[in-house]
Amino acid sequence: LRKNFYIFATAVFFILKTTTVFAQAPSTDEDAFFIKNIYSYSLTQGNAYTWLRDLCARAPGRVSGSAEAAAAVEFTRQIMDTLGLDTVYLQPCMVPHWVRGAKEQCKVVGSPTQGDMPLNVLALGNSVATPEGGLTAPIIMVMSLEEVEKLGEKVRGKIVFFNRPMDGTQVSTFSAYGGAVDQRVKGPAVAAKYGAIAVIVRSVSSTKDDFPHTGVTVYDDKTPKIPAVAVSTNDADKLTLLLKAEKEVRLFIKTNCKTLAPVQSYNVIGEIRGKKQPQEIILVGGHLDAWDVGKGAHDDGAGCVHSMQVLHTLHNLGYKPNRTLRCVLFMNEENGLAGGTEYARLSNLRNEYHLAAIESDAGGFTPRGFQTEAESSVFIDKMKKITRWSPLLEAYDLTISKGGSGADISPLKSQLGLLIGFRPDSQRYFDIHHTAEDTIDKVNPRELHLGAAAITSLLFLIDKYGL
Amino acid sequence: LRKNFYIFATAVFFILKTTTVFAQAPSTDEDAFFIKNIYSYSLTQGNAYTWLRDLCARAPGRVSGSAEAAAAVEFTRQIMDTLGLDTVYLQPCMVPHWVRGAKEQCKVVGSPTQGDMPLNVLALGNSVATPEGGLTAPIIMVMSLEEVEKLGEKVRGKIVFFNRPMDGTQVSTFSAYGGAVDQRVKGPAVAAKYGAIAVIVRSVSSTKDDFPHTGVTVYDDKTPKIPAVAVSTNDADKLTLLLKAEKEVRLFIKTNCKTLAPVQSYNVIGEIRGKKQPQEIILVGGHLDAWDVGKGAHDDGAGCVHSMQVLHTLHNLGYKPNRTLRCVLFMNEENGLAGGTEYARLSNLRNEYHLAAIESDAGGFTPRGFQTEAESSVFIDKMKKITRWSPLLEAYDLTISKGGSGADISPLKSQLGLLIGFRPDSQRYFDIHHTAEDTIDKVNPRELHLGAAAITSLLFLIDKYGL
């Protein structure tokens, strides 16, 4: 029975705190009141959870080029059309069209102790298929790309098993992910350089279970494309034990992926035009595509509905922005970044200026704050300005810190605005990331709506005061 | 209210900020390194999750006086015996022995449109039974205790339906809980004063579903004890609609609770004796009892395993404390506070001094920080001292703020130490609080172990530097 949790803002998260003490804060009681309204509206009248539930049901597994991706484009376009925005449109972009094909098979074959032992795997995104009959070879376990480089020709004809886990001692799971994902992204290309015939990679996961985690791999143009799968963390542990116990472990792998001709797809865009400085754009976005095996609830349906909710909340609270507020649902973040690249290309062609761009692509969990980045020539100044509002945001347990923003908005950095990544709690995200388990039941409605409220509040302050 | 709060909070923020900037911070790189070790150990070698899984399996529904409560005492005593502490003992206390009896029944009877409509209910803790054949009466809906006072004799012979929901616009669910729980705690006593024959109360829940949330009710010695049940939020909404549509809604309620003779139970205590100032005690604790319908995973198995993990981690890292570190698993927080009361009584008899007491009783979710309270004569000074370590804790996304600590440790306030409540993320807690859904699958191992690490880190700093 604990009551009366009043939050006192006693602490600042980050290094530039002295600037918070001395810089003039333009924020007022009126702003605090409006932010309170943003939270109340988002929590009790927000549509984000309903939209997300429907998006997951009607456009599950919406990988770029798929029918589901087309459904996601049309579904979100129709929602945006109801939000009372000034304009809603589709921005064409050509996207890769990779298909998984029939379900992968993978097993240990002919183990003296285990016989044939099936393993839970998923082909990596963009990966090629095995020969039609599959392939069989001994595996060789490595813990890093560097180890493959050292082994060199010893991997020839083998299946390379990348087995370095995420570092469980890291508090930030994104840091731990960043420290392990090179095996998945670059492993097949590096192994192919020395004649490996396939790759099996330990799922980049923060938990131990039977679900394999897919994700993109990037081949090297100079080396052959070899088949690559992710194996569940439990099965990776089983393989590890087997390799200790037996002289040689042979795997059978059969994957059926194909890369078809590129497809025309779209970024979905809606905007409210600014009344005073319409030429200054504040973008809020997420990505519409999701891996084929799950429903894309946290990655990144959450970011899409966050972004739509931001504009909807401000519109319904009667807010008339100074700047142009633009919601962008990017296509193809997962395996190509075609949407983000095309958006930036056209924006630069039109000489647009993004004063700020906020991406939500870290899930729909309880908000912790925001991370910022910018060209070094403007970063310190922008950071001073945005941290003027820290006291207002700390009342909602939100901090502002330096860090990565988002893949889709990263090409906008050259416009010299501030790039911002929404930072929700990260502890559960990599349990389900890129798996069949990324489903709506993993999303808590209050947490999702708090995320929308946090982003809306920051966007409101940027719009009102500039950066 | 909001505006005043904000001004107040801002003022406190600047006061404390100033002290953080200018006070000598004793913390060093060595401390940061040790805290990093605490986190690494907790995250990768902590036992808390395993203990909690086993506690939930072997002592589920461990309400005071039950066989399961006895099992919980013995199970945790045995664990503490393995931790390498200086002493482990049981501290006797007499606890109330309330039993639910056979499953409750509740239904709308004779509705012209719905016929008989069953409702999902749970008898409130400490409540009395209906007559053996149950009772039937019309319901009268109210939104507050005050409304009953105004209605007065109009509630005579009726079943009072308390229907005020938790305030969904509050960011802190503990605040929202605090704003609604009076209906459950005091509603039956207030309604009985005017002749009501039973009470049905909307579950104090942050979500809408079919699970009723139990919890204690406190009768008034001067008025009759009347039966009281909590109804699920979905069913409360159904009743609300029915009351709008139909002139009279009649309910049948049958409960089978009993309060048996008090039972001897125990607080489970383990300690590491301090090397330099053993007379200064730093307590870390949670409560061992849990409502009978769930497994007590978050409430408060999490707090118990947090507390044991704190001492285990420090012991296994070879830390030799200056002060006496005491882990206390309190009995009977839910419906009597007998354990906390007896602990404080004996502590005062022995002239003990608790320099600090930390309670974890808000679930096993991702840590957000700590709340502190103390007698006003010492609070500002203690707060200045504890916030010296804010920079160290902010690196782990932890803040220190003023607020409630914990029910079990609250009687220790008169010893003039600092009372501290561990504050995990609160968004999911009241979805499952006091329901059959408070089960181990709602606990994320990393989040649980981060909680233990956060508490261990703060306790280490208090032990090393004092308060």
Side-chain angles (χ1 to χ4, degrees):
Chain A
L1 269 141
R2 288 170 59 183
K3 303 169 190 173
N4 299 329
F5 269 57
Y6 285 171
I7 296 160
F8 282 62
T10 62
V12 181
F13 180 56
F14 109 105
I15 35 172
L16 291 178
K17 72 172 91 174
T18 45
T19 66
T20 4
V21 173
F22 298 113
Q24 183 71 24
S27 56
T28 62
D29 288 349
E30 192 188 328
D31 297 334
F33 185 75
F34 191 67
I35 289 174
K36 172 71 183 153
N37 282 346
I38 287 171
Y39 270 81
S40 295
Y41 181 90
S42 305
L43 281 167
T44 58
Q45 296 175 262
N47 291 317
Y49 184 79
T50 305
W51 292 334
L52 183 57
R53 184 195 63 200
D54 293 350
L55 177 65
C56 291
R58 298 175 67 178
R62 46 192 181 278
V63 71
S64 291
S66 66
E68 291 81 0
V73 167
E74 182 57 12
F75 178 73
T76 52
R77 189 193 67 75
Q78 289 182 16
I79 291 172
M80 281 217 224
D81 259 348
T82 69
L83 302 188
L85 308 181
D86 293 328
T87 177
V88 174
Y89 59 99
L90 302 184
Q91 181 175 65
C93 56
M94 294 304 290
V95 298
H97 187 194
W98 175 85
V99 295
R100 184 172 303 279
K103 172 139 186 52
E104 306 81 349
Q105 295 169 52
C106 182
K107 57 185 174 183
V108 171
V109 288
S111 157
T113 60
Q114 307 297 318
D116 284 6
M117 181 173 79
L119 301 172
N120 291 295
V121 301
L122 279 173
L124 297 186
N126 286 3
S127 69
V128 297
T130 60
E132 204 166 328
L135 58 81
T136 304
I139 60 173
I140 181 164
M141 186 173 85
V142 298
M143 301 305 268
S144 67
L145 300 175
E146 294 69 32
E147 200 176 335
V148 176
E149 301 279 0
K150 279 186 197 156
L151 285 168
E153 287 297 317
K154 288 180 187 159
V155 308
R156 181 165 302 276
K158 302 219 167 96
I159 298 170
V160 175
F161 170 34
F162 287 95
N163 194 28
R164 185 168 87 260
M166 274 175 66
D167 177 2
T169 70
Q170 301 257 7
V171 175
S172 163
T173 61
F174 279 86
S175 293
Y177 178 77
V181 75
D182 63 332
Q183 301 170 100
R184 189 196 77 212
V185 175
K186 298 180 187 167
V190 170
K193 206 162 58 168
Y194 299 104
I197 63 164
V199 157
I200 181 167
V201 58
R202 182 188 186 90
S203 285
V204 190
S205 169
S206 46
T207 191
K208 294 217 179 154
D209 62 23
D210 295 325
F211 293 100
H213 296 229
T214 189
V216 74
T217 197
V218 178
Y219 290 119
D220 182 335
D221 284 345
K222 296 173 204 154
T223 52
K225 298 179 177 183
I226 61 174
V229 298
V231 63
S232 76
T233 46
N234 278 348
D235 285 350
D237 286 349
K238 284 185 198 166
L239 275 183
T240 309
L241 288 176
L242 206 59
L243 281 163
K244 279 186 190 161
E246 298 180 10
K247 197 161 180 164
E248 182 178 88
V249 176
R250 294 172 66 81
L251 282 194
F252 168 81
I253 302 178
K254 174 161 163 50
T255 63
N256 312 286
C257 328
K258 275 186 195 161
T259 297
L260 307 175
V263 167
Q264 178 159 300
S265 186
Y266 305 92
N267 297 323
V268 181
I269 303 179
E271 71 178 44
I272 306 176
R273 200 164 162 77
K275 298 296 173 201
K276 294 184 181 166
Q277 290 119 294
Q279 75 289 357
E280 292 194 353
I281 297 160
I282 307 173
L283 181 155
V284 57
H287 67 83
L288 205 42
D289 60 313
W291 285 109
D292 55 323
V293 293
K295 311 293 183 196
H298 279 292
D299 185 14
D300 183 29
C304 293
V305 300
H306 276 156
S307 302
M308 294 193 293
Q309 185 69 60
V310 168
L311 266 56
H312 193 41
T313 299
L314 289 174
H315 179 265
N316 280 10
L317 291 175
Y319 182 72
K320 306 291 180 201
N322 296 322
R323 276 94 177 167
T324 293
L325 311 184
R326 189 180 286 168
C327 169
V328 184
L329 311 185
F330 294 96
M331 183 52 72
N332 188 226
E333 189 272 349
E334 293 292 3
N335 60 335
L337 214 67
T341 307
E342 179 66 359
Y343 178 85
R345 188 184 72 82
L346 292 172
S347 176
N348 290 335
L349 268 184
R350 291 178 196 130
N351 287 313
E352 285 183 347
Y353 172 54
H354 284 75
L355 176 69
I358 309 177
E359 182 153 1
S360 168
D361 185 18
F365 301 95
T366 299
R368 303 299 302 245
F370 300 93
Q371 299 189 152
T372 60
E373 59 175 325
E375 289 289 358
S376 55
S377 59
V378 299
F379 180 68
I380 298 288
D381 179 58
K382 300 280 185 204
M383 197 61 169
K384 272 189 193 167
K385 286 178 177 164
I386 197 171
T387 51
R388 289 176 299 180
W389 308 314
S390 289
L392 278 169
L393 298 174
E394 284 159 6
Y396 293 89
D397 256 2
L398 302 170
T399 61
I400 298 172
S401 53
K402 183 177 175 173
S405 59
D408 298 292
I409 61 175
S410 59
L412 296 171
K413 207 180 207 179
S414 59
Q415 291 188 6
L416 302 184
L418 189 63
L419 304 185
I420 302 168
F422 170 61
R423 185 172 72 92
D425 190 86
S426 74
Q427 297 307 321
R428 296 171 184 231
Y429 188 67
F430 290 104
D431 289 359
I432 57 167
H433 182 243
H434 294 181
T435 74
E437 292 289 283
D438 185 3
T439 49
I440 188 69
D441 56 300
K442 309 303 186 308
V443 179
N444 179 280
R446 276 184 58 87
E447 294 181 359
L448 184 72
H449 288 181
L450 283 171
I455 300 166
T456 309
S457 300
L458 180 60
L459 186 141
F460 152 70
L461 290 166
I462 296 172
D463 177 66
K464 184 165 172 185
Y465 296 108
L467 265 181
Chain B
L1 178 68
R2 173 71 215 169
K3 188 173 146 184
N4 288 338
F5 159 66
Y6 181 71
I7 292 166
F8 186 40
T10 307
V12 171
F13 168 76
F14 279 111
I15 291 163
L16 296 173
K17 176 56 60 189
T18 312
T19 65
T20 336
V21 172
F22 297 113
Q24 184 69 25
S27 56
T28 61
D29 288 351
E30 193 188 327
D31 297 334
F33 185 74
F34 191 67
I35 290 174
K36 173 69 183 157
N37 283 347
I38 288 172
Y39 270 81
S40 295
Y41 181 90
S42 305
L43 281 167
T44 58
Q45 297 175 261
N47 291 318
Y49 184 80
T50 304
W51 291 334
L52 183 57
R53 185 195 62 200
D54 293 349
L55 177 66
C56 292
R58 299 176 66 178
R62 45 194 181 276
V63 72
S64 291
S66 66
E68 291 82 358
V73 167
E74 182 56 14
F75 178 72
T76 52
R77 190 193 66 75
Q78 289 182 14
I79 291 173
M80 281 216 226
D81 260 349
T82 68
L83 302 187
L85 309 181
D86 292 328
T87 178
V88 174
Y89 59 100
L90 301 184
Q91 181 176 63
C93 58
M94 295 302 293
V95 298
H97 187 194
W98 175 84
V99 295
R100 183 173 302 279
K103 172 141 187 52
E104 308 81 349
Q105 295 168 52
C106 183
K107 57 184 175 184
V108 171
V109 288
S111 156
T113 59
Q114 307 297 319
D116 285 4
M117 180 172 80
L119 302 173
N120 292 296
V121 301
L122 280 173
L124 297 186
N126 286 3
S127 70
V128 297
T130 59
E132 206 167 325
L135 58 80
T136 302
I139 58 174
I140 180 165
M141 185 174 87
V142 299
M143 301 304 269
S144 67
L145 301 175
E146 295 69 34
E147 199 176 337
V148 177
E149 299 280 0
K150 279 186 195 155
L151 285 169
E153 287 297 319
K154 288 179 186 159
V155 308
R156 183 164 300 279
K158 300 214 167 101
I159 297 170
V160 176
F161 170 34
F162 287 95
N163 194 27
R164 186 169 85 260
M166 274 175 66
D167 177 3
T169 70
Q170 302 257 7
V171 175
S172 163
T173 60
F174 280 85
S175 292
Y177 179 76
V181 75
D182 63 333
Q183 302 170 100
R184 190 197 77 211
V185 176
K186 299 180 186 166
V190 170
K193 204 162 59 169
Y194 299 103
I197 63 164
V199 157
I200 180 167
V201 59
R202 182 188 186 90
S203 285
V204 190
S205 169
S206 45
T207 190
K208 294 216 178 154
D209 62 24
D210 295 323
F211 292 100
H213 297 230
T214 188
V216 74
T217 196
V218 178
Y219 291 119
D220 181 336
D221 284 344
K222 297 171 201 153
T223 52
K225 297 180 177 183
I226 60 175
V229 297
V231 62
S232 75
T233 45
N234 278 348
D235 285 350
D237 286 349
K238 284 185 198 165
L239 275 182
T240 309
L241 288 176
L242 207 59
L243 281 162
K244 278 187 190 160
E246 297 180 11
K247 197 163 184 160
E248 184 178 87
V249 175
R250 293 173 66 81
L251 280 195
F252 167 80
I253 303 179
K254 175 162 162 48
T255 64
N256 312 286
C257 330
K258 274 186 197 158
T259 297
L260 307 175
V263 167
Q264 178 159 300
S265 186
Y266 305 90
N267 297 324
V268 182
I269 303 179
E271 71 180 42
I272 305 175
R273 199 161 163 79
K275 299 296 170 202
K276 296 185 180 164
Q277 291 119 292
Q279 74 288 358
E280 292 194 353
I281 297 160
I282 307 173
L283 180 154
V284 59
H287 67 84
L288 206 42
D289 60 312
W291 285 108
D292 55 321
V293 293
K295 312 293 183 195
H298 278 292
D299 185 14
D300 183 28
C304 293
V305 300
H306 276 157
S307 302
M308 295 193 292
Q309 185 69 60
V310 167
L311 266 56
H312 192 42
T313 299
L314 289 174
H315 178 265
N316 281 9
L317 291 176
Y319 183 72
K320 306 292 178 200
N322 296 321
R323 277 93 179 170
T324 293
L325 310 184
R326 191 180 285 169
C327 169
V328 184
L329 311 185
F330 295 96
M331 183 52 71
N332 188 226
E333 189 270 351
E334 294 291 3
N335 61 334
L337 214 67
T341 307
E342 179 66 0
Y343 177 85
R345 188 184 72 81
L346 293 172
S347 176
N348 289 336
L349 268 183
R350 291 178 196 132
N351 288 313
E352 286 183 348
Y353 172 54
H354 284 74
L355 176 69
I358 309 177
E359 182 154 1
S360 167
D361 184 18
F365 300 96
T366 299
R368 304 298 301 245
F370 300 94
Q371 301 193 148
T372 61
E373 59 175 326
E375 289 289 357
S376 55
S377 60
V378 299
F379 179 69
I380 298 288
D381 179 57
K382 300 281 186 204
M383 196 63 172
K384 271 187 195 167
K385 286 178 176 161
I386 197 171
T387 50
R388 289 175 300 180
W389 308 314
S390 289
L392 277 169
L393 299 174
E394 284 159 8
Y396 292 89
D397 255 4
L398 302 170
T399 61
I400 298 173
S401 53
K402 182 177 176 173
S405 58
D408 298 291
I409 60 175
S410 59
L412 296 171
K413 207 181 207 177
S414 58
Q415 292 187 7
L416 302 183
L418 189 63
L419 305 185
I420 302 168
F422 170 61
R423 185 171 73 91
D425 191 87
S426 75
Q427 297 308 320
R428 296 170 184 231
Y429 188 66
F430 290 103
D431 289 359
I432 58 167
H433 181 246
H434 295 182
T435 73
E437 292 288 284
D438 185 4
T439 48
I440 188 70
D441 56 300
K442 308 304 186 306
V443 179
N444 179 281
R446 276 184 58 88
E447 293 182 0
L448 183 73
H449 288 182
L450 282 172
I455 301 167
T456 310
S457 300
L458 180 61
L459 187 141
F460 152 71
L461 290 167
I462 296 172
D463 178 66
K464 183 164 175 186
Y465 295 108
L467 264 182

